[in-house]
Short mmCIF file of all heavy atoms in Angstrom, two decimals:
data_model
loop_
_atom_site.label_atom_id
_atom_site.label_comp_id
_atom_site.label_asym_id
_atom_site.label_seq_id
_atom_site.Cartn_x
_atom_site.Cartn_y
_atom_site.Cartn_z
N ALA A 23 -21.73 10.74 18.30
CA ALA A 23 -22.99 10.08 18.66
C ALA A 23 -22.94 9.60 20.10
O ALA A 23 -23.90 9.78 20.85
CB ALA A 23 -23.26 8.90 17.72
N ALA A 24 -21.84 9.02 20.48
CA ALA A 24 -21.69 8.55 21.87
C ALA A 24 -21.72 9.72 22.84
O ALA A 24 -22.35 9.66 23.89
CB ALA A 24 -20.40 7.75 22.03
N ALA A 25 -21.05 10.80 22.47
CA ALA A 25 -21.04 11.98 23.34
C ALA A 25 -22.44 12.56 23.48
O ALA A 25 -22.84 12.96 24.57
CB ALA A 25 -20.08 13.04 22.78
N GLN A 26 -23.20 12.60 22.37
CA GLN A 26 -24.57 13.10 22.42
C GLN A 26 -25.41 12.25 23.37
O GLN A 26 -26.16 12.78 24.19
CB GLN A 26 -25.19 13.12 21.02
CG GLN A 26 -26.65 13.54 20.99
CD GLN A 26 -26.90 14.93 21.55
OE1 GLN A 26 -26.08 15.82 21.41
NE2 GLN A 26 -28.02 15.12 22.20
N GLN A 27 -25.30 10.92 23.25
CA GLN A 27 -26.08 10.05 24.12
C GLN A 27 -25.66 10.22 25.58
O GLN A 27 -26.48 10.12 26.46
CB GLN A 27 -25.96 8.60 23.68
CG GLN A 27 -26.75 8.32 22.42
CD GLN A 27 -26.73 6.86 22.02
OE1 GLN A 27 -25.89 6.09 22.44
NE2 GLN A 27 -27.68 6.49 21.18
N MET A 28 -24.39 10.50 25.82
CA MET A 28 -23.93 10.68 27.20
C MET A 28 -24.52 11.95 27.81
O MET A 28 -24.70 12.02 29.01
CB MET A 28 -22.40 10.73 27.24
CG MET A 28 -21.77 9.37 26.97
SD MET A 28 -19.98 9.44 26.91
CE MET A 28 -19.61 9.65 28.64
N LYS A 29 -24.83 12.95 26.98
CA LYS A 29 -25.40 14.21 27.47
C LYS A 29 -26.88 14.07 27.81
O LYS A 29 -27.42 14.88 28.55
CB LYS A 29 -25.25 15.30 26.40
CG LYS A 29 -23.82 15.74 26.18
CD LYS A 29 -23.78 16.80 25.10
CE LYS A 29 -22.36 17.16 24.75
NZ LYS A 29 -22.29 18.11 23.65
N GLU A 30 -27.55 13.06 27.25
CA GLU A 30 -28.97 12.88 27.48
C GLU A 30 -29.25 12.42 28.90
O GLU A 30 -28.48 11.68 29.48
CB GLU A 30 -29.54 11.83 26.51
CG GLU A 30 -29.51 12.25 25.07
CD GLU A 30 -30.13 11.21 24.18
OE1 GLU A 30 -31.34 10.98 24.30
OE2 GLU A 30 -29.39 10.61 23.39
N LYS A 31 -30.39 12.85 29.42
CA LYS A 31 -30.82 12.41 30.75
C LYS A 31 -31.50 11.05 30.57
O LYS A 31 -32.62 10.97 30.08
CB LYS A 31 -31.78 13.41 31.37
CG LYS A 31 -32.16 13.03 32.78
CD LYS A 31 -33.03 14.07 33.43
CE LYS A 31 -33.19 13.65 34.87
NZ LYS A 31 -34.44 13.71 35.41
N THR A 32 -30.79 10.01 30.96
CA THR A 32 -31.32 8.67 30.78
C THR A 32 -31.90 8.13 32.08
O THR A 32 -31.62 8.64 33.17
CB THR A 32 -30.21 7.71 30.30
OG1 THR A 32 -29.18 7.66 31.30
CG2 THR A 32 -29.63 8.15 28.97
N VAL A 33 -32.71 7.10 31.94
CA VAL A 33 -33.27 6.35 33.07
C VAL A 33 -32.83 4.91 32.85
O VAL A 33 -32.88 4.41 31.72
CB VAL A 33 -34.81 6.46 33.09
CG1 VAL A 33 -35.40 5.59 34.19
CG2 VAL A 33 -35.24 7.91 33.26
N MET A 34 -32.40 4.24 33.91
CA MET A 34 -31.99 2.84 33.80
C MET A 34 -33.22 1.94 33.95
O MET A 34 -33.98 2.07 34.91
CB MET A 34 -30.97 2.49 34.87
CG MET A 34 -29.64 3.23 34.74
SD MET A 34 -28.77 2.88 33.20
CE MET A 34 -28.20 1.22 33.50
N VAL A 35 -33.41 1.06 32.99
CA VAL A 35 -34.51 0.10 33.01
C VAL A 35 -33.94 -1.25 32.59
O VAL A 35 -33.35 -1.35 31.51
CB VAL A 35 -35.67 0.50 32.07
CG1 VAL A 35 -36.75 -0.56 32.05
CG2 VAL A 35 -36.25 1.85 32.48
N GLY A 36 -34.09 -2.24 33.43
CA GLY A 36 -33.60 -3.57 33.09
C GLY A 36 -32.11 -3.60 32.81
O GLY A 36 -31.66 -4.33 31.94
N GLY A 37 -31.35 -2.78 33.54
CA GLY A 37 -29.90 -2.76 33.40
C GLY A 37 -29.39 -1.98 32.20
O GLY A 37 -28.19 -2.01 31.91
N ALA A 38 -30.26 -1.29 31.49
CA ALA A 38 -29.84 -0.53 30.31
C ALA A 38 -30.32 0.91 30.39
O ALA A 38 -31.41 1.18 30.91
CB ALA A 38 -30.39 -1.18 29.04
N ALA A 39 -29.49 1.81 29.89
CA ALA A 39 -29.88 3.22 29.82
C ALA A 39 -30.92 3.39 28.72
O ALA A 39 -30.78 2.84 27.63
CB ALA A 39 -28.66 4.08 29.53
N MET A 40 -31.98 4.11 29.02
CA MET A 40 -33.02 4.42 28.05
C MET A 40 -32.80 5.87 27.60
O MET A 40 -32.83 6.79 28.40
CB MET A 40 -34.41 4.29 28.68
CG MET A 40 -34.72 2.91 29.23
SD MET A 40 -34.99 1.67 27.97
CE MET A 40 -33.69 0.50 28.36
N TYR A 41 -32.55 6.03 26.30
CA TYR A 41 -32.21 7.33 25.73
C TYR A 41 -33.44 8.03 25.17
O TYR A 41 -34.15 7.46 24.34
CB TYR A 41 -31.17 7.17 24.62
CG TYR A 41 -29.84 6.69 25.14
CD1 TYR A 41 -29.50 5.35 25.11
CD2 TYR A 41 -28.93 7.60 25.69
CE1 TYR A 41 -28.28 4.90 25.61
CE2 TYR A 41 -27.72 7.17 26.19
CZ TYR A 41 -27.40 5.83 26.15
OH TYR A 41 -26.19 5.40 26.65
N PRO A 42 -33.69 9.27 25.60
CA PRO A 42 -34.83 10.03 25.10
C PRO A 42 -34.79 10.26 23.58
O PRO A 42 -35.81 10.53 22.97
CB PRO A 42 -34.75 11.36 25.84
CG PRO A 42 -33.94 11.08 27.06
CD PRO A 42 -32.98 10.00 26.67
N SER A 43 -33.62 10.16 22.97
CA SER A 43 -33.51 10.37 21.53
C SER A 43 -33.87 9.11 20.73
O SER A 43 -33.99 9.17 19.51
CB SER A 43 -32.08 10.79 21.17
OG SER A 43 -31.16 9.76 21.52
N LYS A 44 -34.07 7.98 21.42
CA LYS A 44 -34.44 6.73 20.74
C LYS A 44 -35.94 6.49 20.92
O LYS A 44 -36.55 6.96 21.87
CB LYS A 44 -33.66 5.55 21.33
CG LYS A 44 -32.18 5.62 21.01
CD LYS A 44 -31.47 4.39 21.53
CE LYS A 44 -30.00 4.41 21.15
NZ LYS A 44 -29.33 3.16 21.56
N ASN A 49 -35.31 1.45 22.56
CA ASN A 49 -34.94 1.36 23.96
C ASN A 49 -35.38 0.04 24.59
O ASN A 49 -34.61 -0.61 25.29
CB ASN A 49 -35.55 2.53 24.75
CG ASN A 49 -34.69 3.77 24.69
OD1 ASN A 49 -33.47 3.72 24.79
ND2 ASN A 49 -35.33 4.91 24.50
N ASN A 52 -33.34 -3.25 24.70
CA ASN A 52 -32.14 -3.31 25.53
C ASN A 52 -32.41 -3.63 26.99
O ASN A 52 -31.49 -3.90 27.75
CB ASN A 52 -31.38 -1.99 25.42
CG ASN A 52 -30.85 -1.76 24.02
OD1 ASN A 52 -30.30 -2.67 23.41
ND2 ASN A 52 -31.04 -0.56 23.50
N ILE A 170 -41.32 2.34 37.69
CA ILE A 170 -40.39 3.33 37.12
C ILE A 170 -41.23 4.23 36.22
O ILE A 170 -41.82 3.77 35.25
CB ILE A 170 -39.26 2.68 36.30
CG1 ILE A 170 -38.47 1.67 37.13
CG2 ILE A 170 -38.33 3.76 35.74
CD1 ILE A 170 -37.43 0.87 36.33
N ALA A 171 -41.27 5.51 36.57
CA ALA A 171 -42.08 6.46 35.80
C ALA A 171 -41.19 7.32 34.90
O ALA A 171 -39.99 7.46 35.12
CB ALA A 171 -42.85 7.37 36.76
N ASP A 172 -41.83 7.88 33.90
CA ASP A 172 -41.22 8.90 33.04
C ASP A 172 -39.93 8.47 32.35
O ASP A 172 -38.91 9.16 32.42
CB ASP A 172 -41.00 10.19 33.84
CG ASP A 172 -42.29 10.79 34.32
OD1 ASP A 172 -43.31 10.65 33.63
OD2 ASP A 172 -42.28 11.42 35.40
N VAL A 173 -39.99 7.36 31.66
CA VAL A 173 -38.87 6.92 30.84
C VAL A 173 -39.13 7.51 29.45
O VAL A 173 -39.85 6.93 28.64
CB VAL A 173 -38.75 5.38 30.79
CG1 VAL A 173 -37.51 4.96 30.02
CG2 VAL A 173 -38.74 4.79 32.19
N ASN A 174 -38.60 8.71 29.23
CA ASN A 174 -38.91 9.46 28.00
C ASN A 174 -38.28 8.83 26.77
O ASN A 174 -37.16 8.31 26.82
CB ASN A 174 -38.47 10.92 28.16
CG ASN A 174 -39.36 11.65 29.11
OD1 ASN A 174 -40.58 11.68 28.93
ND2 ASN A 174 -38.79 12.24 30.15
N GLN A 175 -39.03 8.89 25.68
CA GLN A 175 -38.64 8.33 24.39
C GLN A 175 -38.82 9.41 23.33
O GLN A 175 -39.52 10.39 23.57
CB GLN A 175 -39.57 7.15 24.03
CG GLN A 175 -39.85 6.19 25.15
CD GLN A 175 -38.66 5.32 25.53
OE1 GLN A 175 -38.17 4.58 24.70
NE2 GLN A 175 -38.22 5.43 26.76
N SER A 176 -38.26 9.21 22.16
CA SER A 176 -38.43 10.20 21.09
C SER A 176 -39.88 10.26 20.62
O SER A 176 -40.32 11.27 20.09
CB SER A 176 -37.52 9.89 19.91
OG SER A 176 -37.88 8.65 19.30
N VAL A 179 -43.51 8.15 26.00
CA VAL A 179 -42.97 7.88 27.34
C VAL A 179 -43.39 6.47 27.76
O VAL A 179 -44.46 5.99 27.38
CB VAL A 179 -43.46 8.93 28.36
CG1 VAL A 179 -44.97 8.90 28.55
CG2 VAL A 179 -42.74 8.80 29.70
N ILE A 180 -42.52 5.82 28.52
CA ILE A 180 -42.82 4.51 29.09
C ILE A 180 -42.90 4.66 30.60
O ILE A 180 -42.10 5.36 31.21
CB ILE A 180 -41.72 3.48 28.73
CG1 ILE A 180 -41.73 3.17 27.25
CG2 ILE A 180 -41.90 2.21 29.55
CD1 ILE A 180 -40.58 2.27 26.80
#
Side-chain angles (χ1 to χ4, degrees):
Q26 176 59 34
Q27 286 184 341
M28 289 176 73
K29 291 179 186 176
E30 293 182 66
K31 184 176 187 225
T32 61
V33 175
M34 295 299 287
V35 176
M40 301 288 120
Y41 293 96
S43 62
K44 292 184 177 184
N49 275 317
N52 295 315
I170 303 173
D172 297 328
V173 185
N174 289 305
Q175 316 289 300
S176 64
V179 63
I180 292 174

